[in-house]
């Protein structure tokens, strides 16, 4: 990738992008509240952080980190449709997982719907190993992948 990618927290200047891609139908007040919630770096008593994936100054997607255990984390990338298939998801995942490792996390986990071929390929490319199959809390058949950080 020849353009500089960064991860950063969302801020109140990002409403147009959030309205277009992430929080469609939300009022400005609801979006401000969501941004404030994300920036607490906590959800349900566990570490959670939502990042804007940026190329130069443009936000091209999001990636979240969520704690599952003392040393276990998951990363959830979402690259906006017009930026897909350009290597951004793998680069964002590598950056987010390196950040998580620097915070002391040792294992990354991912639940991926069995029909989400792109996500399966992404995780396998990044060295995740298939551990099991299950049905998640939403009733979807998923593969469970893990990776040592």
């Amino acid at each position: 990738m020849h353009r500089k990618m960064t991860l950063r927290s969302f801020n109140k200047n990002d409403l147009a992008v959030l309205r277009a891609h992430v929080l469609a139908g939300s009022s400005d007040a609801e979006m401000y509240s969501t941004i404030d919630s994300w920036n607490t770096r906590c959800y349900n008593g566990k570490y959670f952080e939502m990042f804007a994936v940026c190329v130069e100054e443009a936000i091209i997607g999001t990636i979240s980190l969520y704690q599952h255990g003392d040393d276990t984390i998951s990363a959830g990338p979402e690259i906006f449709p017009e930026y897909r298939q350009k290597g951004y998801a793998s680069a964002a995942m590598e950056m987010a997982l390196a950040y998580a490792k620097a915070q002391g996390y040792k294992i990354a986990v991912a639940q991926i719907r069995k029909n989400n071929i792109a996500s399966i390929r992404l995780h396998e490319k990044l060295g995740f190993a298939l551990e099991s199959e299950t049905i998640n809390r939403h009733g979807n058949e998923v593969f469970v992948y893990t990776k040592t950080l």
Side-chain angles (χ1 to χ4, degrees):
M1 212 162 317
H2 41 283
R3 299 193 302 172
K4 183 179 178 190
M5 176 182 280
T6 57
L7 304 181
R8 67 163 175 81
S9 297
F10 279 93
N11 63 58
K12 294 179 177 13
N13 296 321
D14 299 327
L15 264 55
V17 170
L18 291 171
R19 183 173 287 113
H21 295 285
V22 183
L23 301 171
S26 297
S27 69
D28 285 3
E30 289 167 328
M31 286 191 278
Y32 290 146
S33 176
T34 297
I35 291 168
D36 288 344
S37 174
W38 286 342
N39 291 337
T40 66
R41 298 176 52 168
C42 185
Y43 181 75
N44 286 340
K46 295 183 178 181
Y47 166 72
F48 169 85
E49 196 161 357
M50 177 68 81
F51 298 96
V53 178
C54 302
V55 172
E56 295 165 5
E57 297 300 313
I59 299 173
I60 63 155
T62 67
I63 192 164
S64 62
L65 292 172
Y66 181 70
Q67 176 185 16
H68 292 269
D70 290 342
D71 62 356
T72 307
I73 195 139
S74 63
E78 177 67 26
I79 302 300
F80 303 148
E82 60 269 32
Y83 299 103
R84 292 181 184 159
Q85 298 184 326
K86 294 177 170 56
Y88 293 130
S90 60
M93 285 283 289
E94 288 172 348
M95 291 175 74
L97 293 175
Y99 178 82
K101 182 178 181 177
Q103 305 303 310
Y105 292 96
K106 296 183 180 357
I107 301 166
V109 297
Q111 277 192 9
I112 305 169
R113 284 188 190 195
K114 287 183 172 185
N115 64 355
N116 190 340
I117 303 305
S119 186
I120 290 166
R121 286 186 181 143
L122 169 66
H123 285 79
E124 289 177 350
K125 173 183 174 182
L126 294 171
F128 281 76
L130 178 60
E131 291 291 324
S132 63
E133 300 178 30
T134 190
I135 296 179
N136 69 10
R137 61 187 171 99
H138 303 293
N140 299 309
E141 292 183 355
V142 296
F143 291 122
V144 178
Y145 281 84
T146 62
K147 173 186 172 92
T148 302
L149 299 179

